[in-house]
Amino acid sequence: MRRWLPSPLLSASLLLMWLLLNQSLEPAHWLLGGALGVLAPLLSQPLQPHGHARIRRPLALFRLLWMAAIEIVRSCFNVTQIILLRRSADVNSQFIRVPLDLKSPHGLALLSCLINSTPGTVWVEILPDGHELLLHVFDLHDEAWWVHTIKTRYEQPIIEVFETPEPGGGRT
C-alpha cells in the first residue's frame, strides 16, 4: 500500500482540496482529484531526500507553532518601534552563535522557518565544525538571552516533535 500511497493523509487532503476548489461532487471530479492525490505524492518523492518527517508529538508541535506565532507578532511590534522611534546609530545589530543539539533535517528546516519568520532575526548558516547556528539579530542587547530563548522555546520542542529518544535517555 505504501508503494502507491506513500503519504495517505496528503493524498486524502489533495482529493478534498480538489473537490472543495471545484465545488462539485461529480464522479469525474472524484476521479481527477483521486488521480491528483495519488500522483502528486509519488512524483514528489525524489524531492524528499530524507523521507517523510515523523511527528512524534503532535501536541508539542501545535504548542510550538502557537508560541512562535505569538513571538512573531511581538517581534513585529518591537522591530516597528525600533525602526520608527530610534536613530540607526542606537541599533546594535550583531551575529551570534547558538550551539544546537538538534540533528533532524526536518527539525532544522522548521527551526529555520520559525527564525526567519520572526522579524529582527535571520538564520545565516549552520557552522559545521561545532554544529552551531549563526544567527543575525537586528538589535542585540543580551546574547545569553537569545541563546537560551532559541534553545528552550524552539529547539527543545522541535526535538520533542521530530527526534526519537534512545533507550538510554539520549537523543538520536
Side-chain angles (χ1 to χ4, degrees):
M1 183 73 170
R2 279 278 194 212
R3 183 175 172 190
W4 293 103
L5 283 175
S7 182
L9 185 60
L10 177 60
S11 296
S13 298
L14 288 171
L15 170 61
L16 179 64
M17 185 62 68
W18 180 267
L19 294 173
L20 287 172
L21 287 173
N22 285 292
Q23 299 179 2
S24 172
L25 295 175
E26 296 290 325
H29 285 290
W30 279 89
L31 185 62
L32 286 170
L36 175 69
V38 170
L39 290 175
L42 282 174
L43 294 174
S44 67
Q45 264 185 325
L47 301 174
Q48 301 172 359
H50 300 287
H52 294 286
R54 293 197 178 250
I55 298 175
R56 308 282 180 211
R57 301 200 42 214
L59 289 177
L61 178 62
F62 289 122
R63 266 194 326 270
L64 169 69
L65 295 177
W66 175 251
M67 293 305 295
I70 291 170
E71 184 65 26
I72 288 169
V73 171
R74 188 192 65 76
S75 291
C76 240
F77 287 115
N78 289 345
V79 169
T80 301
Q81 182 182 21
I82 290 168
I83 291 171
L84 294 177
L85 302 178
R86 279 200 189 153
R87 292 189 338 240
S88 62
D90 296 336
V91 177
N92 183 24
S93 192
Q94 297 282 326
F95 288 94
I96 63 172
R97 291 174 178 234
V98 180
L100 294 178
D101 298 321
L102 182 62
K103 304 291 186 219
S104 163
H106 298 100
L108 288 169
L110 177 58
L111 181 61
S112 171
C113 289
L114 293 176
I115 287 174
N116 286 323
S117 296
T118 306
T121 58
V122 176
W123 171 297
V124 179
E125 72 175 317
I126 290 280
L127 301 170
D129 51 329
H131 200 66
E132 292 179 314
L133 160 65
L134 185 61
L135 180 70
H136 182 265
V137 179
F138 179 59
D139 190 32
L140 180 68
H141 293 287
D142 185 1
E143 182 174 340
W145 181 87
W146 276 98
V147 171
H148 180 267
T149 299
I150 297 293
K151 297 212 45 83
T152 58
R153 287 191 193 168
Y154 295 110
E155 185 185 31
Q156 286 305 316
I158 291 173
I159 288 172
E160 284 181 43
V161 170
F162 288 108
E163 295 185 5
T164 306
E166 291 178 355
R171 286 185 295 277
T172 57

